[in-house]
Amino acid sequence: KQEVTQIPAALSVPEGENLVLNCSFTDSAIYNLQWFRQDPGKGLTSLLLIQSSQREQTSGRLNASLDKSSGRSTLYIAASQPGDSATYLCAVGDFTGGGNKLTFGTGTQLKVEL
Amino acid sequence: DAMVIQNPRYQVTQFGKPVTLSCSQTLNHNVMYWYQQKSSQAPKLLFHYYDKDFNNEADTPDNFQSRRPNTSFCFLDIRSPGLGDAAMYLCATSRTTRVRETQYFGPGTRLLVL
């Protein structure tokens, strides 16, 4: 059974810092890995999707990497801003039942302070 | 804008009183998912529909049922809510068949059981 772990559980940084969030998974037979953002009391917003054949994806100040063999992914946030404060969730996908089944980690709660 | 809509955003029910949560989508996606997210925990997939085909997760309690009358709508029925069913319920959609497809989430319905 796939298990996804995210470290740290919470992180507080001053504005402008570059930071890295970590995600690890136990079964490397994945099809893709996604990073989501969740604001308090809200749904999930997809940030980046990395296919199993890819090693990284970039969107603006965000860069996500994937090392399938070691079961690890990182989300790099450059020049952090207070608006980046949210919970970041990592999810790995496998293809069952015709859908992309996701197994989530518990998230890293990020606070960017002025 | 194409989107995933969940109603209501907040639902209060009594212990044992059946409740129905609603999800609709304008994306015309084939797959619709229901996730349960308890406080400070990872979202957990309950079940999903691929078109009209229902796919239940092995550990989803029988108390949880779902209906998909057409492409646009999907309902989550909780037959006899217990205190442990209080959670955020997230609906998501994807086009499926391709692993590069991301899932699009609605804002969630927060369920409180008294």
Side-chain angles (χ1 to χ4, degrees):
Chain A
K1 181 181 176 183
Q2 181 74 265
E3 292 184 3
V4 180
T5 304
Q6 291 188 246
I7 295 173
L11 181 63
S12 182
V13 300
E15 182 180 13
E17 273 210 3
N18 302 324
L19 57 101
V20 174
L21 308 181
N22 296 294
C23 172
S24 62
F25 47 95
T26 54
D27 187 347
S28 62
I30 67 170
Y31 283 88
N32 58 37
L33 184 144
Q34 286 184 246
W35 283 92
F36 292 87
R37 169 183 173 140
Q38 186 173 32
D39 292 287
K42 301 289 181 63
L44 306 179
T45 301
S46 180
L47 298 173
L48 289 164
L49 170 67
I50 312 176
Q51 303 299 339
S52 62
S53 59
Q54 297 173 324
R55 293 193 67 84
E56 67 176 339
Q57 282 287 335
T58 297
S59 176
R61 294 182 294 108
L62 305 179
N63 176 277
S65 68
L66 174 64
D67 184 342
K68 234 177 57 160
S69 60
S70 67
R72 294 182 181 181
S73 176
T74 62
L75 178 66
Y76 175 82
I77 303 177
S80 58
Q81 303 171 358
D84 295 330
S85 299
T87 296
Y88 291 81
L89 292 157
C90 163
V92 297
D94 64 64
F95 196 69
T96 58
N100 189 7
K101 177 180 174 180
L102 294 177
T103 302
F104 283 86
T106 53
T108 294
Q109 188 174 6
L110 173 65
K111 183 175 181 181
V112 181
E113 298 174 318
L114 291 169
Chain B
D1 285 344
M3 58 176 59
V4 181
I5 302 162
Q6 290 189 245
N7 287 306
R9 296 292 309 278
Y10 300 92
Q11 176 73 57
V12 181
T13 191
Q14 293 179 335
F15 182 92
K17 185 176 181 181
V19 65
T20 294
L21 308 183
S22 170
C23 178
S24 63
Q25 53 128 343
T26 60
L27 297 159
N28 203 33
H29 282 174
N30 296 320
V31 189
M32 296 186 77
Y33 310 80
W34 280 103
Y35 290 86
Q36 179 193 62
Q37 186 180 26
K38 295 186 178 181
S39 181
S40 300
Q41 295 186 20
K44 179 179 176 296
L45 181 65
L46 295 173
F47 27 59
H48 71 272
Y49 271 97
Y50 179 10
D51 290 332
K52 291 186 180 294
D53 293 331
F54 178 69
N55 297 272
N56 196 32
E57 293 301 300
D59 53 358
T60 297
D62 292 339
N63 198 26
F64 291 85
Q65 304 287 323
S66 186
R67 296 171 284 134
R68 190 178 185 185
N70 53 54
T71 300
S72 301
F73 284 88
C74 194
F75 301 99
L76 170 62
D77 300 310
I78 308 177
R79 292 191 297 187
S80 181
L83 298 178
D85 297 327
M88 174 77 88
Y89 290 89
L90 298 165
C91 174
T93 73
S94 70
R95 281 175 40 177
T96 196
T97 72
R98 294 184 178 185
V99 295
R100 66 175 64 250
E101 298 290 344
T102 191
Q103 290 188 18
Y104 295 84
F105 281 79
T109 294
R110 184 167 296 280
L111 178 67
L112 180 63
V113 181
L114 300 178

